[in-house]
Amino acid sequence: MKIINARLRHRSELFTLSINQGVWSHIEQQSSYIHDASATVDAQGKLLSLPFVEPHIHLDAALTAGEPNWNMSGTLFEGIQRWSERKPMLSAEDIRQRALKTLDLLVENGIQFVRTHADVSDPSLVGLKTLCDIRDEVKGKITLQVVAFPQEGLLSFPNGVALMEEALEYGADVVGGIPHFEFTRELGEQSMKLVIELAQKYNRLVDVHCDETDDPNSRFLEVLAYEALNSGLGSRVTASHTTAMGSYDNAYCSRLFKLLKKSEINFISCPTESIHLQGRFDSYPKRRGLTRVKELNEAGMNVCFGQDSINDPWYSLGNGKLLRTLDFGLHICHMMGRNDFDTALDLITRNSAKTMNLRDDYAIEVGKPAHFILLDGEDDYTVLRNQSDVLMSVHQGNVLMKKKAVEITEKHFLV
Ligand code: 17E
Ligand code: FE2
């Protein structure tokens, strides 16, 4: 496959890029716009970017909003309750159908790498098993990581630890946790130590729903970061949400940040979800309920954005468009300076790839697997302003999706 007249991020020149056997084989700067009948795709000056990455979504719960009951208060806790009412109705077929439909939506929007949570507060583990099976089936098209997520507590749900171990033995990629939902502070702390121990025992990554509350006394992040540091797991560990940090005072945060930086853990914020679920116990002034994305980023830590929900008991909207999530995040976190726009796309690409520990699988460089998307705009700023469409998505040289606007010569299909 040969692509001509493509722009790359932060470069004003046009490029020709070639793919051979699913790998980038040639990348060359052009001196001017070219016409070349042998090219597979004429990018017409549009931006060719690394694919979007969805680092935090719940595919097992996707497309279940209102089943059997709607979340009327809009709180996280009512969401957990409504989901527990839906759980007895789960079957492998039900999950498979909704998860595949949601993955299609993500692919349509340029996402090729996905980390999904799967609720393991369920003696049948049907969600976890079905999502692991789907992960193995879609390999080569989408990279899926499955988190064993103990929605109702690792230590507070009956047999929580045994279910987690069963999930890890089945093949979950990532150990999850939810310390702010455990019955007591002590159990929350203990659960963080356990999560790290299990990750070491099974050689897995860690991604904890951590301090997803406006309660400024919810301080499990420091325990998680310390355990990540102490165990040496470091950047294999991720703290999702950490919304309580939006309510911590600056004196505590200045101390906390030193530990966070040293620990090298990653952060995921889900701006649409948190602006909706948090602040629900406030009247006015009303907190935004997001973690300190701007400050973590400026302090040199790795932060990225995820969607969290697609039409589920926690959030009844959601459309697969990460550029929408990013737009919310930039507004809510006050990341609207001209310089912020230069790195904004990293929050849904490079930074998320780092969080998922994708490493060598994610680069536009000769010799690396050829994954890319083509965006309907010539540079980062235009793409952000317009929330541009994804015109084409290619994974390992295979076309996952293309919009009518992109002409591909027949030759491509022979590559
Ligand atoms: N479960 C949870 O604990 N928090 C969330 N934001 C979602 C599910 C979506
Ligand atoms: Fe979540």
Side-chain angles (χ1 to χ4, degrees), residues 56 58 209 241 308:
H56 189 124
H58 296 254
H209 279 65
H241 303 302
D308 208 3

Side-chain angles (χ1 to χ4, degrees), residues 214-365:
D214 288 319
D215 176 4
N217 298 310
S218 188
R219 293 183 171 190
F220 298 105
L221 176 58
E222 64 179 21
V223 183
L224 178 64
Y226 172 71
E227 294 298 331
L229 175 66
N230 197 36
S231 62
L233 286 186
S235 61
R236 291 173 64 80
V237 175
T238 294
S240 282
H241 303 302
T242 62
T243 56
M245 203 199 288
S247 294
Y248 294 161
D249 64 36
N250 289 340
Y252 174 63
C253 259
S254 81
R255 181 175 75 87
L256 177 66
F257 266 45
K258 291 199 180 78
L259 170 64
L260 297 180
K261 181 90 198 263
K262 212 169 168 177
S263 74
E264 296 183 352
I265 66 170
N266 308 289
F267 295 87
I268 302 174
S269 170
C270 304
T272 44
E273 187 92 8
S274 294
I275 197 73
H276 163 63
L277 292 177
Q278 304 303 320
R280 291 285 176 168
F281 299 95
D282 293 352
S283 56
Y284 285 92
K286 207 174 261 201
R287 284 170 286 183
R288 296 179 184 215
L290 261 72
T291 194
R292 299 190 181 203
V293 175
K294 182 188 176 79
E295 293 75 11
L296 289 166
N297 195 44
E298 283 175 359
M301 290 183 255
N302 188 45
V303 199
C304 57
F305 284 143
Q307 299 180 81
D308 208 3
S309 294
I310 302 285
N311 190 235
D312 70 15
W314 292 273
Y315 184 86
S316 48
L317 301 178
N319 55 14
K321 295 185 193 299
L322 267 175
L323 283 172
R324 169 179 176 269
T325 308
L326 175 60
D327 192 57
F328 266 81
L330 297 177
H331 282 82
I332 302 165
C333 301
H334 284 167
M335 296 171 81
M336 302 280 284
R338 187 62 188 84
N339 293 344
D340 293 318
F341 294 138
D342 288 338
T343 53
L345 284 178
D346 293 341
L347 293 162
I348 56 168
T349 56
R350 282 185 187 287
N351 298 5
S352 332
K354 185 163 189 288
T355 295
M356 285 182 67
N357 280 243
L358 296 180
R359 298 168 195 275
D360 276 357
D361 202 20
Y362 195 77
I364 299 176
E365 282 169 30

Side-chain angles (χ1 to χ4, degrees), residues 53-256:
V53 177
E54 173 52 77
H56 189 124
I57 199 159
H58 296 254
L59 291 178
D60 55 352
L63 310 177
T64 63
E67 298 175 8
N69 297 303
W70 289 93
N71 179 347
M72 300 304 280
S73 66
T75 61
L76 167 72
F77 303 108
E78 184 174 346
I80 296 174
Q81 173 59 30
R82 297 290 159 244
W83 171 238
S84 78
E85 293 158 10
R86 179 62 170 77
K87 262 194 266 187
M89 298 151 64
L90 289 175
S91 69
E93 199 38 48
D94 162 47
I95 294 165
R96 170 173 291 274
Q97 215 192 348
R98 290 183 291 97
L100 290 176
K101 208 165 158 187
T102 309
L103 283 172
D104 277 347
L105 189 65
L106 301 186
V107 168
E108 273 302 300
N109 287 288
I111 295 165
Q112 298 182 12
F113 302 88
V114 178
R115 177 179 282 180
T116 177
H117 294 262
D119 186 357
V120 293
S121 301
D122 170 10
S124 78
L125 291 183
V126 65
L128 183 283
K129 290 179 178 172
T130 308
L131 290 175
C132 284
D133 295 350
I134 291 176
R135 171 198 64 201
D136 299 340
E137 290 160 27
V138 300
K139 200 166 173 226
K141 291 192 208 123
I142 306 167
T143 300
L144 192 58
Q145 286 180 354
V146 181
V147 187
F149 171 50
Q151 176 70 76
E152 295 180 56
L154 190 58
L155 296 167
S156 308
F157 187 78
N159 294 321
V161 179
L163 287 167
M164 173 62 81
E165 294 222 44
E166 195 185 332
L168 295 170
E169 266 151 31
Y170 194 82
D173 306 278
V174 189
V175 187
I178 185 165
H180 53 278
F181 196 75
E182 302 288 355
F183 288 137
T184 66
R185 185 177 52 76
E186 284 83 355
L187 287 179
E189 287 177 19
Q190 221 176 304
S191 75
M192 292 299 84
K193 291 178 187 156
L194 196 52
V195 159
I196 296 289
E197 278 166 25
L198 289 168
Q200 286 180 306
K201 178 172 168 192
Y202 290 90
N203 189 26
R204 305 295 154 88
L205 302 170
V206 171
D207 190 334
V208 171
H209 279 65
C210 194
D211 302 315
E212 190 185 7
T213 163
D214 288 319
D215 176 4
N217 298 310
S218 188
R219 293 183 171 190
F220 298 105
L221 176 58
E222 64 179 21
V223 183
L224 178 64
Y226 172 71
E227 294 298 331
L229 175 66
N230 197 36
S231 62
L233 286 186
S235 61
R236 291 173 64 80
V237 175
T238 294
S240 282
H241 303 302
T242 62
T243 56
M245 203 199 288
S247 294
Y248 294 161
D249 64 36
N250 289 340
Y252 174 63
C253 259
S254 81
R255 181 175 75 87
L256 177 66

